[in-house]
Amino acid sequence: TSGLSNVQQIIVPGHSLTVGVNGANSAQISSSVSSIAGGSAPFTRANLSPGTTITLTAAATSGNAQFDRWDGCSSTNSSNRTCTVSSLSANRSVTARYTTPNYTISVASSGTSSVPISGTGGASGTTSYTVSRASGSSVTFTAPATAGNAQFDRWDGCSSSNSSNRSCTLSSISSNQSVTAVYSTPNYTINVNSSGASSVPISGSASGTGGWTQYSFSRVSGSSVTLTAPASEGNAQFDRWTGCSSTNSSSRTCSLSSISSNQSVTAVYTTPNSYIIYVDSSGANSVPISGSVSGTSGTTQYSFNRVSGSSVTLTAPASEGNAQFERWTGCSSTSSGSRTCTLSSINSNQSVTA
C-alpha cells in the first residue's frame, strides 16, 4: 500500500566490567563465562548484557606477590580466590589485590659471639640479629676473617657461599630463614724441653700444662700460660729459659702470651765445676767411711767427686782394729759424738782425715 509504517528501533545499551589489580603489575584472571574472556589484568570488557552474572578467578601469585583479596565484588571466596559479580546493571569495577610478604632472616654465629656482619641493602648487624626481606628478594652477608681469637670456618644455611670472601647469599627468599657464621678457635701445641738435665718437673699456671721434660700440651689461640722450673735438678743448676715471650730469672718463670702458633720452650740447666774430695785416715788403715750422698762412701784412702756448692757428711766407725776414733780434720764442721765430718758449699778440692 502507499502508507509506510513507523518502526521504532530499541537499542539496549551494554555495561562494562573493569578488572583492576593492586600490589602487582599484572595478574592472570579467568572468567566463568566462555563468551567473556579473561586475561591479564588490568583489562575492561565492554557491552556486557544487563543482568549478566560472572565469576572471576585470580591467580594465586603474580611475580613475588601473593593474592590477598578481591574488592568491589557482589561476593567473594578467599579460598579459591573468586569474585562474583551478580546481575550486572551498571558499569562495574573490581580489583584483585596482591601483597608481597616480608620474611625474617636470622643471622647468628657459633664458636664466638657478637660478630660484626656486613649485609647488602641495610642487612648489616652484630650477631645474633634479624632483618626483614621481601619475598623473592636476595641478600648477601659477609663475615670477618677473625672474631677475637676465633677464626672463620664456614657459613651454614645459605643458598650459596664463598669461603674465600666469607660470603653467604640467600636467593629468591620465600620463607623465614636462618644463617650462621661458624667460627673455630684453633689449638696450638706447646713443647716443653730441657737441656743440661732431663725429666725436669715443670709446673704450669693452667690445668694440664705441667709435666716432666720433654712433654707437650695444647693451648687455644690467644691464651697465655706461665711455666716454672725448679732451681736445681740433680747436680744441675737452673740457668735460663729460651723461647718464651718473657722470663723472670729470680722466679725461674717462662711466660707465653697471646699464643698464636705452635711453640717450643727450653729450661736450660748447667752443671757446675766438680771437685775432688780425698778421704784419709791416720792411726789406722782401710777404715770404712759412710757418706750421706750416693757415691761418697769408701775405705780409706779413697776419693770422690762433688759439684760446686754441694755438701756431704762422712761418718767414721768408733773403732778400727785396736784403734779408737779420736777426731776428724779438714772438715767444715765435725761432731765428736756422732763421729761425723761435714763439708759445706764445696768450692775446691779438699782432703779430710779421720
Side-chain angles (χ1 to χ4, degrees), residues 11-12 35 49 95 98 110 185 197 209 227 230 233 265 287 316 326 344:
I11 299 174
V12 179
S35 60
S49 300
T95 301
Y98 286 78
S110 70
T185 302
T209 60
L227 305 173
E233 179 59 28
V265 297
V287 178
E326 182 182 355
S344 302

Side-chain angles (χ1 to χ4, degrees), residues 275-286:
Y275 296 111
I276 301 174
I277 309 301
Y278 299 94
V279 185
D280 300 324
S281 60
S282 70
N285 296 319
S286 301

Side-chain angles (χ1 to χ4, degrees), residues 13-21 36 41-56 70-76 82-96:
H15 302 303
S16 65
L17 176 62
T18 299
V19 181
V21 62
I36 303 174
F43 62 81
T44 297
R45 299 294 180 255
N47 297 319
L48 303 182
S49 300
T52 297
T53 293
I54 184 172
T55 296
L56 305 171
W70 282 100
D71 285 346
C73 310
S74 303
S75 62
T76 62
T82 59
C83 163
T84 298
V85 177
S86 302
S87 301
L88 189 65
S89 60
N91 295 335
R92 193 80 171 264
S93 293
V94 295
T95 301

Side-chain angles (χ1 to χ4, degrees), residues 38 44 46 50 79 149 151 158 169 194 198 208-209 226 264 279 285 295 316 330 340:
T44 297
S79 62
N149 297 324
Q151 297 183 358
C158 312
T169 298
S194 60
S198 59
T209 60
T226 296
S264 293
V279 185
N285 296 319
T340 57

Side-chain angles (χ1 to χ4, degrees), residues 60-264:
T61 59
S62 176
N64 296 323
Q66 297 182 359
F67 177 80
D68 181 33
R69 68 184 189 276
W70 282 100
D71 285 346
C73 310
S74 303
S75 62
T76 62
N77 186 311
S78 59
S79 62
N80 57 19
R81 306 177 306 284
T82 59
C83 163
T84 298
V85 177
S86 302
S87 301
L88 189 65
S89 60
N91 295 335
R92 193 80 171 264
S93 293
V94 295
T95 301
R97 293 190 176 274
Y98 286 78
T99 60
T100 301
N102 284 328
Y103 294 111
T104 298
I105 309 302
S106 299
V107 185
S109 61
S110 70
T112 189
S113 59
S114 301
V115 178
I117 304 294
S118 63
T120 56
S124 299
T126 300
T127 60
S128 295
Y129 70 101
T130 60
V131 293
S132 183
R133 278 291 179 268
S135 174
S137 65
S138 298
V139 64
T140 296
F141 300 101
T142 302
T146 59
N149 297 324
Q151 297 183 358
F152 177 80
D153 181 32
R154 68 186 187 276
W155 279 100
D156 287 343
C158 312
S159 303
S160 62
S161 61
N162 186 313
S163 59
S164 62
N165 62 13
R166 306 172 306 282
S167 64
C168 164
T169 298
L170 294 176
S171 304
S172 302
I173 296 169
S174 59
S175 63
N176 296 330
Q177 291 183 249
S178 295
V179 296
T180 302
V182 180
Y183 283 77
S184 61
T185 302
N187 286 327
Y188 295 111
T189 300
I190 309 302
N191 296 303
V192 185
N193 306 310
S194 60
S195 70
S198 59
S199 299
V200 178
I202 305 295
S203 61
S205 59
S207 176
T209 60
W212 284 263
T213 60
Q214 316 312 353
Y215 74 100
S216 63
F217 58 87
S218 293
R219 294 295 286 162
V220 298
S221 175
S223 64
S224 299
V225 66
T226 296
L227 305 173
T228 303
S232 62
E233 179 59 28
N235 295 325
Q237 303 295 312
F238 176 81
D239 181 38
R240 67 190 185 277
W241 280 99
T242 63
C244 311
S245 303
S246 62
T247 62
N248 185 310
S249 58
S250 61
S251 60
R252 306 175 306 283
T253 57
C254 164
S255 294
L256 294 175
S257 303
S258 302
I259 296 168
S260 59
S261 63
N262 298 329
Q263 291 182 249
S264 293

